[in-house]
Amino acid sequence: MDKATNKKLFFILLFGLIFSMYQETEAQRTRTKPMPTPAISKTVPSNINFTVSMPKPWTHLLQVEMRVASAQTPAQLELKMPVWTPGSYLIREYARHVQNFSVADAGGNALEWRKINKNTWQIDTKGAKEIVAKYDVYANELTVRTNELNDEHAFFTPAALLMFPKGEISTPSTVKVNPYGNWKVATGLPPVAGQTNTFRAENFDILYDSPFEVSDFKEIRFTAMGKPHRYVVTGEGNYDLELMAKDTEKIIIESSKIFGDLPYNDYLLIVNTRGGGGLEHLNSTALQWNRFGFKPEARYKAFLNLVAHEFFHAWNVKRIRPDVLGPFDYENENYTNLLWVAEGTTSYYEPILLLRAGLITDREFLDSKAALFQQLQDRPGRFETSLEEASFDAWIKYYRQDENAINNQISYYDKGDIVSFMLDVEIRTASDGAKSLDDVMRHLYDEFSKKGRNFTPEDFQKVSELMAGKSLEEFFDKYVRGTEEIDYNSILKGIGLQLLTTRANTNEQPYLGANMTEADGRLTVRSLPAGSPAYESGLNTGDQIVAVDGFRAGQTFLQTYINEKKPGDKVKFSVFRFDQLREMEVTLGGRVSPNYRIAAVENPTDRQKQLYRAFLGNELK
Ligand SMILES: [Zn+2]
């Protein structure tokens, strides 16, 4: 899914002064899981052809012509725009960008139409065998799940551009693109022989899973596991296409070793060198990466992490599908408790693939995991929301994080990554190295995906238990369905590791517990971890801090000033709240902030050493 952009929000929320204590609360919720309504097929499918044009890129208007021909024309034809696109679990209301809608029969006679809800255009066909609908879509937002047209390129997400006739999700269609000037067209859809820039989709699920990039892009083609792959990159930047192709091939090889094959005929990686993030598709991915973010090495490795993430999705979520995630309901939320597997497990495999490909070391892997543990342990929200709840509520929470997210939410990416790591270690330990999480993924691919079945949360637990050779009921109860503190050390010791929360200084440091943001010379409270001194003293998110003990407040000053105080000292804050000046006193707390590190246990046994080596490819040290 759609990754880095949202992860970034979490990091912003975490950035600030110091973090804190928390108040434990239990949230137990029950719910029913609505299933998407199946599409009703007509007996005779229509013949559907789209033409997408962009004659004036500077207007940001993509022009769509949609021809629907049918031997059995209904009296009223309903054309629908999806409200979301798979992989990004938020209702985005793509219909709001549609304008200049008109419709006629093949002879050019205008037909009457009306909107009957937010995303449906109802047309009186008057028996016409072919109707021609035309509309423009305003495209001026570059993300991996929206559209952008400007004088550099067109990127479009078909679910955000192309309508489907009601009940015809299974009908094939073609898309002809009229590029601007000398631009080229790239998409994962197969071309129609003999027709320029025309592509065919077997059904709307495939159409909506195939983004388009149209520009004067740079490209490199390469072969991996005998199949054609290519990068197309729009925008200047400090990237090295040869190196990207070489390293991506290594990632592809390592992924295919887990699953046994490559599940497509060819694969396209679209890169735009602005912003950040990625979205997985059936045989392609759309990526965004800052144009100067391909160097130095650490930032390039972060890019490869993103590539590995989206690539692993070619199996996990695109083919190994959680219950309701495909075929999709494009008009409503599609609820699942399994996004933590779809996204968290995929995130877990990013560095695993890089490690196996020789692109990072076991130490880099363990350091990244220690940082992730620390991030989770600094979120009071971990006692509020379980992985399953976070998955289910993605539609109303994950993409809409506010200042309280740190206190009532966790990320199903980050905690899902951690719990996947813990599960992998559990399986390796319990099976004495015979099985691992790879076997779980492989089994889901062979026994579910290849047999046309989606998997449920119960299936995932059962397959994990099959590989572990023991019940994992307690593990799933505590860490997947529940909100218990993760007992890292009891799990990690299986492979000879321990989590050390070392303290550079055992003296308590003065602690305020408010995350600040500074912009245009204004210092503002961004979030407050529940239970922190600032939280308990009545500071609010949104308060603008004007002065501290009478001194003008800036981020750096405040940090230095607090650090020079002692726990128990009182500090007077002058703040603007709703344009009114107020004074508040905060009694500073005290805290020892630990530094998380994963290290070898003392005197590891041969078995621990062996399991570590089999897992991370190096000697335990
Ligand atoms: Zn993802």
Side-chain angles (χ1 to χ4, degrees):
M1 123 106 118
D2 151 37
K3 228 202 123 182
T5 41
N6 298 292
K7 244 182 182 171
K8 211 185 285 172
L9 278 173
F10 265 104
F11 290 127
I12 290 168
L13 286 169
L14 287 165
F15 181 79
L17 292 180
I18 324 167
F19 303 97
S20 106
M21 324 227 320
Y22 41 77
Q23 282 182 326
E24 185 168 347
T25 52
E26 280 282 325
Q28 294 258 337
R29 286 162 206 130
T30 55
R31 58 174 82 90
T32 53
K33 191 189 298 165
M35 300 293 289
T37 35
I40 305 149
S41 315
K42 293 200 312 176
T43 39
V44 182
S46 305
N47 190 350
I48 303 169
N49 301 288
F50 293 99
T51 305
V52 178
S53 307
M54 51 200 79
K56 294 179 179 178
W58 52 91
T59 64
H60 313 294
L61 292 173
L62 284 165
Q63 298 181 352
V64 179
E65 181 191 271
M66 178 181 186
R67 288 177 175 263
V68 183
S70 177
Q72 278 183 2
T73 316
Q76 288 183 321
L77 179 70
E78 290 180 12
L79 299 182
K80 289 172 172 290
M81 189 69 129
V83 303
W84 71 292
T85 196
S88 189
Y89 308 97
L90 179 70
I91 300 298
R92 293 190 186 274
E93 313 292 21
Y94 294 126
R96 75 189 202 275
H97 296 303
V98 174
Q99 60 188 66
N100 299 332
F101 185 90
S102 68
V103 64
D105 63 18
N109 303 303
L111 296 172
E112 283 192 19
W113 61 273
R114 64 205 63 82
K115 276 196 80 174
I116 56 168
N117 65 23
K118 64 182 181 181
N119 67 317
T120 307
W121 285 255
Q122 185 188 60
I123 299 155
D124 297 334
T125 62
K126 292 187 174 164
K129 292 291 172 225
E130 183 176 38
I131 68 108
V132 185
K134 292 181 180 177
Y135 57 92
D136 296 341
V137 171
Y138 184 69
N140 196 21
E141 186 184 8
L142 183 64
T143 74
V144 293
R145 42 356 212 202
T146 50
N147 307 315
E148 184 177 75
L149 170 65
N150 57 29
D151 58 12
E152 186 177 44
H153 79 144
F155 170 79
F156 56 89
T157 301
L161 183 72
L162 306 175
M163 297 183 188
F164 65 93
K166 183 184 177 185
E168 298 221 43
I169 283 293
S170 310
T171 303
S173 63
T174 65
V175 181
K176 177 179 168 57
V177 178
N178 291 323
Y180 178 71
N182 63 347
W183 290 356
K184 300 167 280 186
V185 183
T187 178
L189 291 175
V192 176
Q195 294 183 41
T196 315
N197 292 329
T198 306
F199 306 87
R200 180 178 168 84
E202 284 311 310
N203 56 51
F204 276 84
D205 280 321
I206 292 173
L207 178 67
Y208 291 154
D209 225 338
S210 306
F212 283 68
E213 177 67 25
V214 186
S215 76
D216 186 21
F217 48 71
K218 297 185 180 70
E219 70 182 306
I220 185 164
R221 291 170 190 266
F222 61 100
T223 304
M225 308 291 295
K227 291 187 174 175
H229 294 71
R230 74 171 160 150
Y231 265 104
V232 306
V233 184
T234 299
E236 296 300 319
N238 60 359
Y239 49 84
D240 175 344
L241 283 177
E242 300 274 345
L243 183 67
M244 279 157 63
K246 198 174 108 221
D247 291 337
T248 302
E249 186 190 349
K250 291 179 190 166
I251 291 168
I252 294 168
I253 291 169
E254 291 307 322
S255 314
S256 69
K257 277 186 198 164
I258 297 171
F259 296 102
D261 63 15
L262 289 183
Y264 49 73
N265 297 323
D266 52 69
Y267 194 92
L268 167 71
L269 298 107
I270 295 171
V271 182
N272 272 287
T273 60
R274 273 187 290 144
L279 194 63
E280 68 277 7
H281 296 285
L282 274 173
N283 68 330
S284 62
T285 181
L287 307 171
Q288 284 180 253
W289 201 252
N290 182 287
R291 66 178 79 245
F292 299 117
F294 298 87
K295 284 180 186 140
E297 203 184 353
R299 292 185 74 186
Y300 175 62
K301 282 181 182 175
F303 171 73
L304 292 180
N305 262 303
L306 178 65
V307 171
H309 181 99
E310 303 309 339
F311 201 79
F312 194 78
H313 270 316
W315 290 271
N316 192 28
V317 97
K318 293 291 33 160
R319 289 174 178 82
I320 300 171
R321 302 200 299 200
D323 38 34
V324 303
L325 295 185
F328 301 101
D329 177 351
Y330 293 99
E331 296 189 84
N332 297 286
E333 291 86 349
N334 292 219
Y335 294 101
T336 175
N337 284 343
L338 283 166
L339 287 186
W340 77 272
V341 176
E343 293 302 341
T345 304
T346 300
S347 296
Y348 169 62
Y349 270 97
E350 296 168 20
I352 290 282
L353 294 175
L354 265 55
L355 178 79
R356 291 179 187 168
L359 296 164
I360 62 166
T361 63
D362 56 337
R363 182 32 60 194
E364 286 175 287
F365 172 79
L366 294 175
D367 287 349
S368 71
K369 286 292 166 275
L372 210 55
F373 293 174
Q374 186 150 16
Q375 215 182 89
L376 178 67
Q377 297 308 117
D378 280 336
R379 288 188 79 88
R382 74 190 186 283
F383 293 118
E384 191 63 36
T385 301
S386 71
L387 275 178
E388 289 205 343
E389 287 167 334
S391 299
F392 190 87
D393 276 343
W395 299 90
I396 57 167
K397 291 185 176 168
Y398 187 75
Y399 292 89
R400 290 176 173 163
Q401 289 176 41
D402 58 20
E403 70 280 0
N404 195 40
I406 190 172
N407 291 326
N408 74 353
Q409 293 176 47
I410 46 122
S411 157
Y412 50 80
Y413 281 86
D414 296 344
K415 190 180 172 188
D417 179 334
I418 292 171
V419 170
S420 299
F421 177 30
M422 294 295 106
L423 181 61
D424 198 1
V425 174
E426 276 283 290
I427 294 171
R428 287 169 184 272
T429 309
S431 67
D432 207 8
K435 300 285 180 192
S436 71
L437 194 58
D438 288 5
D439 296 286
V440 175
M441 301 315 295
R442 174 72 174 258
H443 186 92
L444 290 172
Y445 183 49
D446 288 343
E447 298 303 318
F448 288 82
S449 168
K450 286 184 181 172
K451 295 181 178 171
R453 296 159 61 200
N454 293 15
F455 72 100
T456 64
E458 296 72 32
D459 293 327
F460 188 79
Q461 183 177 332
K462 267 188 215 154
V463 176
S464 301
E465 288 173 339
L466 177 71
M467 299 311 162
K470 67 166 194 181
S471 166
L472 293 170
E473 185 72 9
E474 199 188 333
F475 181 97
F476 279 82
D477 262 352
K478 283 182 177 173
Y479 306 143
V480 175
R481 294 182 284 270
T483 55
E484 281 206 34
E485 196 77 294
I486 298 174
D487 187 355
Y488 299 103
N489 280 327
S490 77
I491 297 169
L492 288 175
K493 75 166 188 289
I495 54 167
L497 292 173
Q498 59 177 329
L499 175 65
L500 298 174
T501 47
T502 51
R503 291 160 167 84
N505 189 339
T506 49
N507 295 329
E508 286 200 324
Q509 302 299 306
Y511 173 56
L512 175 65
N515 302 318
M516 308 280 184
T517 174
E518 194 168 27
D520 301 330
R522 288 176 177 217
L523 184 66
T524 312
V525 179
R526 181 182 275 276
S527 68
L528 291 155
S532 71
Y535 179 94
E536 293 299 342
S537 301
L539 268 182
N540 276 197
T541 54
D543 284 351
Q544 184 199 338
I545 303 189
V546 186
V548 182
D549 285 342
F551 297 105
R552 198 165 77 84
Q555 181 95 292
T556 317
F557 166 74
L558 182 63
Q559 227 149 1
T560 315
Y561 190 73
I562 300 288
N563 283 342
E564 286 174 355
K565 296 278 169 191
K566 289 191 298 296
D569 282 355
K570 293 183 190 320
V571 178
K572 196 165 66 184
F573 282 83
S574 308
V575 308
F576 271 123
R577 181 179 300 170
F578 309 132
D579 302 328
Q580 255 189 320
L581 190 63
R582 318 169 53 132
E583 306 250 293
M584 329 196 53
E585 195 175 71
V586 179
T587 305
L588 296 177
R591 190 168 102 134
V592 178
S593 13
N595 180 27
Y596 283 46
R597 186 176 160 81
I598 300 173
V601 296
E602 279 176 33
N603 307 316
T605 63
D606 286 347
R607 181 167 172 267
Q608 286 171 321
K609 287 182 189 166
Q610 208 178 344
L611 289 180
Y612 181 91
R613 197 184 313 114
F615 181 23
L616 296 175
N618 208 341
E619 296 308 318
L620 177 63
K621 51 182 183 288

